Amino acid sequence: MIKIDGNTIILRGRSMSYIMYVNECGDLLNFHFGRQLADEDYSAMKRECEEKLGYTSNVRSLDVYPQEYPAYGHSDLRDPAFEVVNRFGNAVAELKVKSLKVMSGTAPMEGMPSLFNGSGDAQTLEAVLSDEIIGLEVALYYTVFDGYDAVARSAVLRNVSDSAMTILSAYSASLDLPVNDYEIIHFAGAWGREREMYRTKLTTGMKAEIENARGGSGHQINPFVMVAEEGADEDHGGVYGFSLIYSGNHSTAAKVDQFGALRIEQGINPRQFRWELEPGGEFYTPQSVLCYSCEGIGALSREYHDIYRRDLMRSKWAGKTRPLLLNNWEGTYFDFTEEKLLSMAKAAKDIGLELFVLDDGWFGKRNDDTSSLGDWFVNYEKLPSGIDGLAEKITDLGLMFGLWFEPEMVNADSELYRAHPDWAIRVGEREPVEARNQLILDLSRDEVCEYIIEAVSKILSSAKIGYVKWDMNRQMADMPCLGYNHKYTLGFYKIMSTITGSFPDVLFEGCSAGGGRFDPGVLAYMPQIWTSDNSDAAARLKIQYSTSMCYPVYSISTHVTASPNHQNGRVTRLKTRADVAFAGTFGYELDITKMPEEELNEIKRQIKFDKTIRTLVRDGDLYRLQDPYTSNYCSWEIASKDRRRALLFSCKILSVANSKDKRIKLKGLDPSLRYVNTLTGEVYGGDVLMYRGIRIDYGTYDFATEIIEFSAI
Ligand code: DGJ
């Protein structure tokens, strides 16, 4: 609900309020973002707020005002939300409120994914601010939903002067939070160690810039950041979330000013960015989704999960159960024949799997990673029946068929590159930098995007393909011009929206050398994302635990792979690998034709079990119970919204002799109901499970896991 009451603007979610007001000078200021306020007459407090801020006595200084979209200079000397070089050659601006309007529905977004209005309960505030001296208008958009504690923010910068302007930076959202002790939580890593969680105290003068300028949203830094009030934990305390719906270079900058207030901004990374704005021109920022929880980090995560499941993921598959798959990659790598694939697919069908995915190596002359990216036509030497023939044979077995692509790339050794060497990104005369022997296609060019759309569409229309894995295996080392990465990202979105729009029944899975592009921009088109090439169950505990901070569990793609693990050599039990993988879109990625009968029987039981829990994993509420970053345990629980079912997963990471394991207390159940452990038949009261807890007998080996399903009786 949005209400404009005189100079006060009240945005209300389920249990939060975001309140702004326009002061007598026309500045748009933040009054409150946090737990819902019932009292709507804030005039006394506003006065108090401004008096306190007017510390410089007779000089009015924006330097201490909590602004919504601050400029640099003209009294505010903190980090600005935007910098635009005007016709006078400076980057000073002073934005005053010109108009306020409430619209039903969501904000306009040009060519970029954003939240949509899944249940028709969205309202958007448009606040147009303007600087008449330089002829700049900024429209700020704030979308709220009745059911959520979220505010989706974006900005449109407009040149209403008759001279060109240059945008040096334009964040999607800027928020000034009052003096407090804050900690910032961010997710950093590398290939195979994606989204490790770090928590740092913010102190005056220190600028925390959580940013990535490597081309995609990146393995190194995820575009999701939390700001926690000191002491806030999984279940208690105030926590703010900032999640950018964007797949390119991003930045979230937080700085505590001289008086202890915190300014936090999120949007496109200003590094290597510049955008010319001709008279009449507009620039749209991506959308940043701000959430607030007064009940700790767990509730904040559940908020993001709900909103992203309902209002971000557009695919038809978003709300459907996903087919359990066998992917051939770690089973065969490039070394496969049609016969081998068919034998794997038959074995997959026999054990109850539903989708067979052919990964890299089916096209051009590709037998290793040195050639053929860009040549999206089948290699008949390997696959004599072609993709259509193979797909036919696999679908005849009663399985869906899926195919891997890496459409944004080209190898120098390819027909495409020989025909169009200029289609690869390069910086002027310099030789382009190769990584994994490949170059990136220039998605800022229409003809390149059209080629990709055509090439992929041709294959998808030619065969019974129900699933696509869309990979992207390198970082962008060459930026041909300032602002290039944004142009590339817009090209990527154009391709994604065209292809997913033309093939609405196909299930798309995002991938980027593992989890290098696990972001809401990708999620908008592809409802599941390959989480990491590191599929070792012990490593996945941390990776999945921290990925779940923002992203719905069912968007996290999880495969059982071979032991010893191919990435880190660790040996784990088949049970451990499956128990960890159940919290995600589940599948296998190993050569099941070589597995002993006994293991295949165990796999059959796992598949049968996953089929019974996957709707719970898809729709349930996630509760994190034990933290692998700070303890020898990792536990999580997925409870159904009606609180009648729950799936408990627990892992004791390293075995301890004569161990003193704590009881695990479940969350989100109904204390007055009785629940049965569906495996053992033991019955517990919901109060016992939640307030007393249960003890798990892990056994004496490393990475011991237990999974228990409780169902109300
Ligand atoms: C990287 C992906 O993460 C892997 O799963 C696999 O698809 C390879 N690329 C194929 O080249």
Side-chain angles (χ1 to χ4, degrees), residues 129-320:
L129 316 183
S130 113
D131 181 327
E132 287 180 6
I133 295 177
I134 59 170
L136 175 69
E137 264 184 25
V138 177
L140 298 181
Y141 293 97
Y142 300 77
T143 301
V144 287
F145 301 81
D146 288 345
Y148 300 129
D149 288 338
V151 181
R153 289 191 54 179
S154 58
V156 179
L157 280 66
R158 266 183 219 121
N159 182 350
V160 293
S161 78
D162 48 18
S163 328
M165 293 177 175
T166 306
I167 302 175
L168 302 180
S169 65
Y171 280 105
S172 303
S174 176
L175 183 69
D176 286 346
L177 289 171
V179 181
N180 209 336
D181 293 317
Y182 294 110
E183 291 168 336
I184 189 159
I185 301 168
H186 74 280
F187 302 88
W191 174 87
R193 283 189 286 107
E194 289 91 339
R195 293 171 294 286
E196 291 167 349
M197 192 163 73
Y198 295 89
R199 185 166 177 154
T200 317
K201 191 172 169 54
L202 288 168
T203 53
T204 297
M206 174 185 112
K207 178 168 178 178
E209 190 167 7
I210 315 297
E211 59 94 35
N212 191 50
R214 290 169 179 267
S217 50
H219 295 88
Q220 291 74 15
I221 297 280
N222 196 262
F224 175 60
V225 169
M226 289 186 276
V227 169
E229 286 167 10
E230 199 181 31
D233 61 19
E234 194 61 25
D235 300 304
H236 312 95
V239 190
Y240 298 87
F242 301 83
S243 168
L244 189 68
I245 306 183
Y246 193 59
S247 310
N249 292 343
H250 56 90
S251 158
T252 307
K255 196 167 174 182
V256 180
D257 72 16
Q258 53 188 329
F259 302 109
L262 172 67
R263 173 166 292 173
I264 178 152
E265 308 177 297
Q266 183 172 63
I268 293 175
N269 194 332
R271 181 138 57 109
Q272 293 274 309
F273 181 81
R274 195 150 106 173
W275 205 267
E276 298 306 324
L277 209 53
E278 295 304 319
E282 291 183 323
F283 179 78
Y284 285 70
T285 71
Q287 195 172 57
S288 168
V289 182
L290 281 57
C291 283
Y292 175 76
S293 154
C294 60
E295 289 174 345
I297 295 169
L300 190 87
S301 297
R302 289 187 287 281
E303 198 69 32
Y304 277 107
H305 296 178
D306 283 348
I307 194 163
Y308 282 176
R309 283 188 290 211
R310 198 191 76 175
D311 290 276
L312 176 68
M313 290 152 51
R314 288 168 164 71
S315 166
K316 264 192 188 175
W317 284 93
K320 291 189 7 186

Side-chain angles (χ1 to χ4, degrees), residues 329 359-360 404 436 469 471 473 511 513-514 530 533 589:
W329 179 243
D359 210 281
D360 195 354
W404 177 97
R436 205 197 189 205
K469 177 172 173 189
D471 205 346
N473 278 307
C511 177
W530 182 226
D533 277 342
E589 188 172 328

Side-chain angles (χ1 to χ4, degrees), residues 365 371-373 375 377 410-422:
K365 299 198 179 93
S371 84
S372 304
L373 288 171
D375 297 346
F377 38 83
V410 64
N411 284 113
D413 181 8
S414 67
E415 289 185 25
L416 182 69
Y417 188 74
R418 282 184 280 275
H420 300 283
D422 59 314

